[in-house]
Amino acid sequence: MKNIKYWHVKLYQSQVNTSLVSSVSGAERLLHEGYSKDEVSLPPRDGRIKLLTEPCGVEVKTVRADVVDSIVCTPVYEDEEEAKADSDALRNIKSALSKNTHLLKSQFFTIECALTTPEELDNIFSQLCEEFAGTPLSCLTFPAFFNELVERTKGLNCMKMNVKPECMFSQNALRGKSIRPKH
C-alpha cells in the first residue's frame, strides 16, 4: 500500500479573453500553490481553502473558493520506490495507448479495442516480402502471398467488452433503451 506523505496543491483561476476578436476562454492562471495533509476538493463558492505554506509547516494560507476554478492535487509519497511504481504504471498506460488501443463507453458497457498499428502491418508485410523474394508474383503465387498475410494478421486485433451486471441478469434489461456514446 502506498503511503501519501502530503499533497502538493495548485489552485487555478480561468482567464477569460475580453477581446472582441476572440471570445474563447484563455489559459488558467496559477493563483496559489501549497500543501495539505488531505486531498483538497473544491468547496462551495462561499467556502474557503486552507493550504500549508510548507509540507511539514504550520503556517496556513487561506484562499476564497469563489476565485478558484480548478484544483490540481499531486500526491507526494513517503518512499521513492512508491513514486517510481506510479511512474511505471503511467508508462504502461502510455505504452498501451501507443499500441492503438481505443476505449468505447456507453452507459451499459465499455469496449476496449486493440487495433493493429501501421508499423506492425509494415513489419509483417516486409517480412513476407523478404520470404517471397525471388518468387515472381503471378495468378498462382499471389493467393499464397495474400493468404499468408491474412494468417499473420489474424490475431493482431483484439476486443474486450465489460457489461454492467444489471444488463446481464435480465432478458429485457436493454429493451426500449437506446445506446449512446458516453464521453
Side-chain angles (χ1 to χ4, degrees):
M1 183 166 156
K2 298 178 182 182
N3 294 323
I4 297 174
K5 195 174 186 180
Y6 57 87
W7 293 87
H8 182 214
V9 181
K10 294 181 181 181
L11 307 177
Y12 291 95
Q13 179 181 43
S14 294
Q15 292 181 335
V16 179
N17 189 350
T18 57
S19 164
L20 292 175
V21 177
S22 173
S23 62
V24 179
S25 296
E28 291 186 327
R29 178 174 70 95
L30 179 65
L31 280 178
H32 184 67
E33 200 170 348
Y35 305 92
S36 175
K37 297 290 182 195
D38 301 313
E39 189 171 9
V40 178
S41 60
L42 198 58
R45 285 304 216 187
D46 60 346
R48 304 218 181 270
I49 301 168
K50 294 181 180 182
L51 297 177
L52 298 168
T53 56
E54 295 294 322
C56 298
V58 291
E59 185 180 342
V60 175
K61 167 96 176 180
T62 303
V63 179
R64 290 188 348 246
D66 64 333
V67 297
V68 176
D69 292 313
S70 64
I71 298 175
V72 175
C73 295
T74 307
V76 177
Y77 299 104
E78 289 181 1
D79 191 4
E80 286 294 320
E81 290 177 17
E82 292 173 354
K84 185 182 180 304
D86 262 6
S87 68
D88 289 344
L90 183 61
R91 194 175 309 113
N92 289 342
I93 291 169
K94 286 182 180 177
S95 172
L97 290 175
S98 70
K99 291 181 180 169
N100 215 12
T101 301
H102 303 278
L103 190 63
L104 310 170
K105 295 180 181 180
S106 87
Q107 61 200 39
F108 306 110
F109 55 83
T110 58
I111 300 173
E112 184 180 338
C113 305
L115 304 175
T116 310
T117 63
E119 293 81 19
E120 289 173 318
L121 290 174
D122 285 343
N123 287 338
I124 291 170
F125 187 71
S126 296
Q127 288 173 356
L128 202 53
C129 287
E130 286 177 20
E131 291 174 20
F132 274 80
T135 305
L137 283 179
S138 68
C139 60
L140 300 174
T141 58
F142 182 75
F145 179 86
F146 182 76
N147 289 337
E148 186 62 28
L149 185 62
V150 168
E151 280 299 312
R152 292 185 188 191
T153 56
K154 251 185 199 175
L156 293 179
N157 294 334
C158 146
M159 293 183 85
K160 289 191 276 184
M161 184 171 178
N162 295 319
V163 180
K164 294 194 176 177
E166 60 268 16
C167 297
M168 295 300 292
F169 297 117
S170 171
Q171 181 177 353
N172 298 319
L174 297 176
R175 181 176 282 172
K177 300 213 167 108
S178 59
I179 298 173
R180 292 192 176 96
K182 184 177 179 183
H183 299 285

